[in-house]
Amino acid sequence: MKDVSLPMVDRRTTLKWLASALVTAGAARAQIPGSAGTDTGTGLSLLGTPEPASGPGYGRDPDLLNPTVPWERTMTPRQLRVAAALCDMILPEDEVSPAATALGVHEFIDEWVSAPYPDQQRDREQIFDGLEWLERSSRERFAAGFADLTDDQRAGILDRIAFADRVESGLEDTAAFFHQYRNLALSAFYATEEGRADIGYIGNVPIIGEYPGPTPEALAHLKAALAGLGLQMPEVE
Amino acid sequence: MALSGNHEVVVVGSGAGGGMSAYLLTRAGIGVVLVEAGRDYDPFTETPMFNTSREAPLLGFRTPDKDFGFYNAGVGGGWEIPGEPYSTGEDSDFRWYRTRMLGGRTNHWGRNSFRMGPLDFKPRSRDGLGVDWPIGYEDLEPYYDRTEALIGVYGSNDGLTNSPDSGPGILHKPPRPRIAELMIKSVAESMGMPCVPMRRAVLTRPMDDRAACFYATACGRGCSIGAAFQSTTSLIPWAKATGRLEMLTDAMVYGVETDERGRASGINYIDKGSGEHRHIPARAVVLAASTGETARILLNSASGRHPDGLANASGQVGKNLMDTVGAGMAAQIPSLENRPRYNEDGAMGGHVYIPFWLYDEQDAGRLDFPRGYHYEVGGGFREPGYGIDYIPFIVDGYGRSLKEDARRYYGSVLRFAQRGEMIPNDGCYAEIDSGIKDRFGIPVLRFHYRHTEHEFRQVAHFQQTTLDLIDRLGGRLLTDVRPPQEAISAGGVIIHEVGTARMGDDPETSVTNGFGQAWEVGNLYLTDGSVFASKAHKNPTLTILALAWRSTENLIERMRRNEI
């Protein structure tokens, strides 16, 4: 079944991208029209000005067995430091798995915002603005950059935007940035080998013979869950 | 590539219909040239089995280069293909998915394989809407049996109304249901809805040189072991093995040529490498280019004798365009949190589904919509990738508690998709847009599309029913309940488009007879979804294959009797 959680890009956006990709296909590293560098809205950039994302993408017929990312990462070193600090605030080390940066999650964020595609170009603007906000807020409150704060100090900043029911008034856009950043960080983190082990994904291995189905423990859990809902456990083989 | 000249039939398109036609013709001793607009493709060496999402650019997330994600088998095609545009009429939202490769969409389809039932072939007789097919279920039943036995389908015989059983011994044993599927079965049955083993073209026992499913790697990537059916691991290699198949790839067919007697004399194509226009003569032509391309070829084959397009005296070519009614909802189920882990990849696609269950209520006039829909359902411990099963949209905050929440919520989301029947209407058709040509100079299609109250009411019924299911499970809805007019998938998005050259009993109102033979051109057969007279809620590929078998057999008989 097709995924219902991810709405399609509308046709106009795709056609616009296609038109620009055709234009830039002959000129490697040409800027995608409509993509901007950092624009904080204040005209001031604390984290530097990144190179524009360059096209084209991986094309319509890439080597699927040996995937490569053809575009350059574009975040500035200062942006990347803030991005890394944010990744580790979202996903710190615990007893089960390492911190996000140990698994390269911040580098994935850079790969994402540097991709020459419409979804990523939209995220790029939002994420660069969000990182800039973190840096500005840190300097205003603690006279130091976000990456140089203690965890408690960083929490003091993040608590203004990170919880759905207590977003500071006027920071709704920044909260939306955090939401998408957290989505990307979670996605990249749990896609790693360590992340899979943490969350308990144990598929992607060949099974010879019949698919065994749920374990007795899994069935017992379901039976209890259904009983709690007043529902019958179906018969199983 | 130089052709030997030993062929008799040209088959256009190498997906389900074209693959089946080429297989049967060559096996019957008839030489075939199979023409494909996309490139050659070898799933045995090109399929990314076991590659993880983290290895792929952007975690494999879809881009305009790869609409279904990096690893999807579909290459070269998509919703939008550079240099191969299409247009849409005012207020029409129609998306045209094209797969440009040997094997076409069979390389990445969902493998869901439902038989149309007796009611599906005679819809007008049942409710007065649309048209009846010129054939009945009894005509196609033996071909369903043969097709299923050939391609391999898992499922079970459940004796349900209008969801026919298969012949004895044909179906492969369905894989055991997973936890989410057992939960859905439980709640569905509590509401009087059947929930039975899914039917999918995936082998669970080995057949010929194809292996049984080993329960890993999404079927949309293609299947290098041949367990998930695609024409490139079965029909086409088998046709090749006869020594009577010649293949032309990267060959864009734009016209069927006719002789002075009005019979098809061959096809014209553009060699994409050289840009040259070429002709292949043929004793008979089979079009299976997909419902859109087949209609386009016929309409672009207009001549003095056929001013409105070939085989179009009825004016029905391009008309009656239909796609499946689609909508989807998802919910998080608290009682599935923190459940014990095990490998839930299974056959990747569904192991169970909910067939339409309200035929009696509908016939008694107790429903406000005609025709049926089924549910495709699922949920579970999927491979983590972009959006990791809604977790980012369930959790809050950050830090150590976030990691605990991710573990808790993983595998606790259920998804429900509606797949319903659409009634053909006058507002849904494709025509030639004479103002636009593709990069080969071929005039493109303009699509017109609109749904009607029939479809909207059906979506509303699905939404209400799904809310009831979720409510009984104590679930938390994760998707908005939008008005049906917005919740329904745009035309073409489900990629079940059919109907643009429908079969019928009457040359005045149909393009082909019940064997897919064009009324006007006796040596022209259509074996793709274009011939569908209605669009049952059942996914069309199995029926395309069965119809292609029946029609191609008819072509072979007529050739043997020298009627062609």
Side-chain angles (χ1 to χ4, degrees), chain A residues 100-166:
Chain A
T101 52
L103 302 181
V105 171
H106 57 306
E107 287 155 2
F108 172 76
I109 304 267
D110 196 358
E111 171 189 322
W112 182 274
V113 299
S114 303
Y117 296 115
D119 282 329
Q120 288 73 27
Q121 290 291 308
R122 197 173 50 231
D123 283 356
R124 176 184 176 91
E125 306 279 327
Q126 186 185 44
I127 286 172
F128 286 178
D129 284 352
L131 296 176
E132 194 74 13
W133 179 86
L134 289 176
E135 184 71 6
R136 194 166 60 243
S137 303
S138 301
R139 293 195 193 181
E140 282 168 10
R141 185 157 159 197
F142 300 109
F146 186 77
D148 298 316
L149 302 184
T150 66
D151 281 0
D152 281 350
Q153 289 172 324
R154 288 179 193 154
I157 308 272
L158 288 187
D159 287 351
R160 300 167 65 191
I161 56 170
F163 295 89
D165 60 350
R166 19 186 182 107

Side-chain angles (χ1 to χ4, degrees), chain B residues 41-170:
Chain B
Y41 172 70
D42 178 11
F44 299 109
T45 60
E46 295 192 54
T47 307
M49 309 295 279
F50 300 110
N51 292 56
T52 66
S53 60
R54 188 65 187 93
E55 294 170 64
L58 309 175
L59 299 176
F61 186 67
R62 58 116 203 271
T63 69
D65 278 332
K66 296 275 291 184
D67 289 301
F68 292 112
F70 184 80
Y71 288 127
N72 186 268
V75 293
W79 297 110
E80 309 294 342
I81 304 176
E84 300 186 44
Y86 56 93
S87 61
T88 50
E90 212 172 306
D91 299 327
S92 287
D93 189 3
F94 186 87
R95 325 279 177 92
W96 190 20
Y97 195 87
R98 291 155 289 173
T99 302
R100 294 276 191 250
M101 64 196 298
L102 189 71
R105 288 179 260 181
T106 68
N107 293 307
H108 59 81
W109 65 306
R111 272 77 174 182
N112 296 339
S113 301
F114 307 110
R115 292 184 180 208
M116 289 173 53
L119 300 176
D120 297 324
F121 288 95
K122 304 295 171 192
R124 185 177 184 85
S125 299
R126 179 162 173 253
D127 59 25
L129 298 167
V131 296
D132 285 345
W133 292 58
I135 60 173
Y137 175 70
E138 62 284 0
D139 296 307
L140 207 55
E141 184 175 29
Y143 296 91
Y144 275 130
D145 275 351
R146 287 183 216 174
T147 300
E148 289 172 353
L150 184 77
I151 70 174
V153 174
Y154 73 65
S156 66
N157 289 329
D158 303 294
L160 297 165
T161 303
N162 202 40
S163 294
D165 289 348
S166 300
I170 289 175

Side-chain angles (χ1 to χ4, degrees), chain B residues 202-371:
Chain B
V202 174
L203 309 183
T204 59
R205 59 174 190 257
M207 279 171 56
D208 44 71
D209 53 357
R210 292 170 289 167
C213 180
F214 56 37
Y215 307 105
T217 299
C219 305
R221 300 178 180 196
C223 188
S224 70
I225 63 169
F229 171 80
Q230 58 203 91
S231 69
T232 41
T233 53
S234 52
L235 300 172
I236 292 172
W238 299 337
K240 266 189 194 165
T242 65
R244 285 182 283 272
L245 181 74
E246 294 177 87
M247 287 190 337
L248 280 179
T249 49
D250 288 314
M252 188 76 192
V253 174
Y254 62 90
V256 176
E257 197 120 308
T258 47
D259 61 19
E260 66 285 351
R261 292 174 300 168
R263 291 157 41 124
S265 57
I267 59 98
N268 297 321
Y269 74 96
I270 292 168
D271 176 71
K272 285 161 81 172
S274 65
E276 284 172 26
H277 290 241
R278 295 179 187 162
H279 176 76
I280 310 175
R283 183 175 161 198
V285 171
V286 174
L287 289 184
S290 83
T291 197
E293 285 292 357
T294 289
R296 184 181 176 205
I297 290 167
L298 292 174
L299 293 170
N300 275 332
S301 298
S303 62
R305 191 186 183 106
H306 305 281
D308 300 319
L310 190 61
N312 194 26
S314 66
Q316 294 296 315
V317 173
K319 303 286 171 57
N320 312 304
L321 178 63
M322 297 165 277
D323 188 17
T324 291
V325 173
M329 296 169 83
Q332 194 269 336
I333 311 297
S335 60
L336 289 179
E337 291 170 14
N338 281 323
R339 62 192 178 92
R341 304 308 201 237
Y342 69 102
N343 181 350
E344 287 199 323
D345 281 359
M348 305 308 290
H351 295 188
V352 303
Y353 82 111
I354 299 171
F356 189 58
W357 69 103
L358 293 170
Y359 290 105
D360 290 345
E361 285 78 355
Q362 201 161 49
D363 287 341
R366 290 199 290 269
L367 299 181
D368 66 356
F369 62 93
R371 315 289 172 84

Side-chain angles (χ1 to χ4, degrees), chain A residues 1-11 14-15 17-18 22 56-71 88-100 103-105 107-108 111-113 115 117-120 123 154-156 158-159 162-165 178-180 182-184 186-192 195-196 198-215 217-219 221-222 225-226 229 231-237, chain B residues 39 45-48 50-59 61-66 68-83 86-88 94-95 112 173 175-179 182-183 185-187 190 213-217 327-330 335-346 351 376-378 381-388 390-393 395-400 402-403 406-407 410 415-417 419 472-474 479 493-496:
Chain A
M1 86 194 226
K2 291 177 189 82
D3 203 316
V4 298
S5 66
L6 307 166
M8 287 175 70
V9 180
D10 73 60
R11 218 185 150 212
T14 310
L15 290 172
W17 178 84
L18 271 177
L22 282 175
Y58 50 66
R60 308 177 77 78
D61 195 359
D63 179 352
L64 303 188
L65 271 60
N66 304 290
T68 54
V69 178
W71 54 89
D88 283 350
M89 283 301 287
I90 294 171
L91 292 158
E93 181 181 3
D94 67 1
E95 300 73 29
V96 183
S97 58
L103 302 181
V105 171
E107 287 155 2
F108 172 76
E111 171 189 322
W112 182 274
V113 299
Y117 296 115
D119 282 329
Q120 288 73 27
D123 283 356
R154 288 179 193 154
L158 288 187
D159 287 351
F163 295 89
D165 60 350
F178 181 80
H179 191 277
Q180 173 61 357
R182 183 175 57 199
N183 173 27
L184 293 172
L186 285 163
S187 300
F189 183 85
Y190 291 106
T192 62
R196 288 167 172 237
D198 176 332
I199 208 162
Y201 173 72
I202 50 176
N204 202 37
V205 291
I207 291 169
I208 307 302
E210 287 186 12
Y211 173 65
T215 57
E217 295 74 30
L219 290 169
H221 183 273
L222 175 67
L226 290 175
L229 296 165
L231 293 168
Q232 291 284 319
M233 179 75 180
E235 277 182 37
V236 288
E237 233 187 286
Chain B
R39 73 161 168 90
T45 60
E46 295 192 54
T47 307
F50 300 110
N51 292 56
T52 66
S53 60
R54 188 65 187 93
E55 294 170 64
L58 309 175
L59 299 176
F61 186 67
R62 58 116 203 271
T63 69
D65 278 332
K66 296 275 291 184
F68 292 112
F70 184 80
Y71 288 127
N72 186 268
V75 293
W79 297 110
E80 309 294 342
I81 304 176
Y86 56 93
S87 61
T88 50
F94 186 87
R95 325 279 177 92
N112 296 339
K173 186 178 174 186
R176 292 179 178 88
R178 295 158 288 204
I179 290 297
L182 289 168
M183 175 170 263
K185 182 175 172 69
S186 172
V187 70
S190 80
C213 180
F214 56 37
Y215 307 105
T217 299
M329 296 169 83
S335 60
L336 289 179
E337 291 170 14
N338 281 323
R339 62 192 178 92
R341 304 308 201 237
Y342 69 102
N343 181 350
E344 287 199 323
D345 281 359
H351 295 188
E376 296 176 12
V377 295
F381 301 126
R382 294 176 167 201
E383 187 202 348
Y386 181 87
I388 178 169
Y390 281 101
I391 287 173
F393 305 92
V395 296
D396 202 12
Y398 57 93
R400 294 172 67 95
L402 177 69
K403 284 176 112 174
R407 287 165 205 138
Y410 181 49
R415 294 156 194 256
F416 303 86
R419 295 290 178 261
R472 281 178 185 231
L473 292 171
T479 44
V493 164
I494 308 297
I495 322 185
H496 292 170

